[in-house]
Amino acid sequence: MQSSHQYTSRKSKTAESPRKRSFPYIYIVLGLCFCIFAGSVWFSSYAKNVALQRMPAYQRQKHYIQDEIHQLELEEAALTSVERIRSLVDELGLVEPSEAARRIYEK
């Protein structure tokens, strides 16, 4: 009679393949990826909070600059108006060009 250990499908201890050591590296890489992801989420939420805190100051500066621009445009319109230029011409005693001078100037 033959013993049952000869017909088992189990490998013997001498025929076992050496265990791979790269398996724990996968967990290390996955852990690092998770840490990077968590860090980026934290940083983006922190940056958003900082931006929301500073937004009112930026809005005030924006409105102040826009008001200055509108004031300057009003001053420009007042300084370059036709009535003002005619009044300056009258004050300085300048003469309006004749029709012949206008035709020469247009050419």
Side-chain angles (χ1 to χ4, degrees):
M1 220 170 167
Q2 295 181 353
S3 64
S4 64
H5 72 280
Q6 291 177 352
Y7 297 108
T8 60
S9 63
R10 237 177 54 170
K11 294 181 182 179
S12 66
K13 290 186 179 183
T14 57
E16 273 188 25
S17 62
R19 192 170 190 187
K20 291 185 179 179
R21 294 182 186 256
S22 64
F23 189 69
Y25 293 125
I26 293 172
Y27 289 120
I28 292 172
V29 170
L30 286 174
L32 287 175
C33 290
F34 178 75
C35 290
I36 290 171
F37 174 73
S40 67
V41 168
W42 175 81
F43 181 74
S44 65
S45 65
Y46 177 75
K48 183 179 178 182
N49 288 338
V50 169
L52 288 175
Q53 289 173 356
R54 293 184 182 179
M55 189 173 294
Y58 293 141
Q59 292 295 330
R60 279 195 306 271
Q61 287 178 349
K62 176 183 162 188
H63 291 303
Y64 177 74
I65 291 171
Q66 285 177 343
D67 289 343
E68 283 185 359
I69 290 172
H70 291 302
Q71 289 292 338
L72 290 173
E73 288 174 347
L74 288 174
E75 287 180 26
E76 178 191 17
L79 291 174
T80 59
S81 68
V82 175
E83 295 84 21
R84 182 174 184 282
I85 293 174
R86 287 192 186 270
S87 68
L88 287 174
V89 166
D90 291 340
E91 285 177 19
L92 295 175
L94 300 175
V95 180
E96 288 192 37
S98 65
E99 188 64 35
R102 285 188 193 139
R103 274 190 256 129
I104 291 173
Y105 179 73
E106 290 174 359
K107 292 181 181 181

